[in-house]
Amino acid sequence: VLLYSYGTRVQFYPTVIHLVRSKFSTVVLGNMALVLTLLFGKLTNRIFLGRLRESELELVWENTGYAITETCLALTIFRDEMNLSVVVLFTALLFCKIFHWLCDARVEHIEQSQETSRFA
């Protein structure tokens, strides 16, 4: 989509205007942003947490459903101000919540699995 738009418009400004105005381009770029966000999340997960345990995955899936529902209900109050920045902030909020839950579950697991020393 990007190459086609630039190839037909040649200049930068008309290309950007076409990408913003075209519904098809907006959908394609939105899907690309979603995939890149998911890949970034998986990469961040692998770097900081490694492989997730089954209980951590279950926690994420359970809490994510509630968080999305709760936030969408809250966003209905501000439906007149819905724009791209709100969607980006919503995604960032969900991203931070998920990693907070994972870190909390990992710390709880480490605290419970460590053996206490006789000398402590």
Side-chain angles (χ1 to χ4, degrees):
V1 172
L2 295 174
L3 292 175
Y4 172 76
S5 296
Y6 188 73
T8 57
R9 308 298 187 283
V10 181
Q11 295 177 341
F12 178 75
Y13 185 74
T15 302
V16 172
I17 295 299
H18 171 69
L19 289 173
V20 173
R21 302 276 176 173
S22 170
K23 292 194 183 286
F24 178 73
S25 299
T26 305
V27 169
V28 169
L29 292 175
N31 285 334
M32 186 178 76
L34 177 67
V35 168
L36 289 176
T37 302
L38 291 174
L39 289 175
F40 178 71
K42 285 186 178 259
L43 177 69
T44 306
N45 181 29
R46 291 285 184 200
I47 291 172
F48 292 113
L49 298 174
R51 296 193 56 96
L52 296 179
R53 294 177 294 118
E54 189 66 35
S55 62
E56 292 170 340
L57 287 173
E58 182 180 327
L59 175 79
V60 167
W61 282 111
E62 182 179 322
N63 287 345
T64 301
Y66 292 128
I68 289 174
T69 305
E70 175 185 296
T71 308
C72 287
L73 285 173
L75 287 176
T76 59
I77 297 170
F78 307 106
R79 65 178 169 261
D80 296 333
E81 290 87 18
M82 286 295 291
N83 54 20
L84 182 63
S85 65
V86 172
V87 173
V88 169
L89 290 173
F90 171 68
T91 306
L93 174 69
L94 189 61
F95 190 81
C96 291
K97 278 185 173 187
I98 288 172
F99 276 97
H100 180 263
W101 297 327
L102 287 174
C103 291
D104 189 37
R106 186 63 58 97
V107 167
E108 184 179 325
H109 173 70
I110 289 172
E111 286 176 349
Q112 291 177 355
S113 66
Q114 286 182 345
E115 294 181 8
T116 57
S117 172
R118 290 183 182 174
F119 304 111

